[in-house]
Amino acid sequence: QLQLVESGGGLVQPGGSLRLSCAASGFTLDYYAIGWFRQAPGKEREGVSCISRSGGRTDYADSVKGRFTISRDNAKNTVYLQMNGLKPEDTAVYYCAAVPDSRMLRLCVLRGGYDVWGQGTQVTVSS
């Protein structure tokens, strides 16, 4: 059974910080590129950040550049999303997703094509 489990969400005031974690079970993250996505009520799913298999390539949505940082610790089978300077518009359910990069293409995409998805963790930014 291939699963991703997100954690670290919660309620935070504007300007605050959270660190989300995405832990894999049933497979080894070493072979996978990882993306973080979010979906706010009434809005389409949005790509937030991605990181390549080795961690050498990352990308961010324009709305979070300079505030969010993605990283991975393959030894812990976990990917992180550090979120600083949170804004109310960051409120959403955040999902992580994985796609294998068997050909070592340094995949890092903020669109579809991911194979395994987590259940999501709620992030609420409000005073």
Side-chain angles (χ1 to χ4, degrees), residues 36-40 43-49 59-69 81-92 94 110 125:
W36 282 98
F37 297 81
R38 66 186 182 187
Q39 188 165 24
K43 295 186 177 181
E44 294 294 316
R45 186 180 63 196
E46 174 190 17
V48 176
S49 185
D59 199 10
Y60 301 89
D62 288 341
S63 59
V64 307
K65 286 180 179 177
R67 299 188 297 119
F68 291 11
T69 303
L81 184 67
Q82 179 68 45
M83 306 186 296
N84 299 326
L86 285 164
K87 304 175 181 180
E89 51 263 44
D90 295 318
T91 296
Y94 283 71
L110 298 176
V125 184

Side-chain angles (χ1 to χ4, degrees), residues 17 32 46 61 102-103 115 123:
S17 298
Y32 290 79
E46 174 190 17
S102 299
R103 293 178 289 175
D115 297 320
V123 172

Side-chain angles (χ1 to χ4, degrees), residues 19-73:
R19 188 177 76 160
L20 305 183
S21 297
C22 174
S25 64
F27 66 105
T28 302
L29 276 187
D30 301 40
Y31 299 94
Y32 290 79
I34 301 295
W36 282 98
F37 297 81
R38 66 186 182 187
Q39 188 165 24
K43 295 186 177 181
E44 294 294 316
R45 186 180 63 196
E46 174 190 17
V48 176
S49 185
C50 60
I51 187 166
S52 63
R53 170 177 166 175
S54 68
R57 181 183 177 188
T58 60
D59 199 10
Y60 301 89
D62 288 341
S63 59
V64 307
K65 286 180 179 177
R67 299 188 297 119
F68 291 11
T69 303
I70 191 170
S71 62
R72 66 189 301 159
D73 186 344

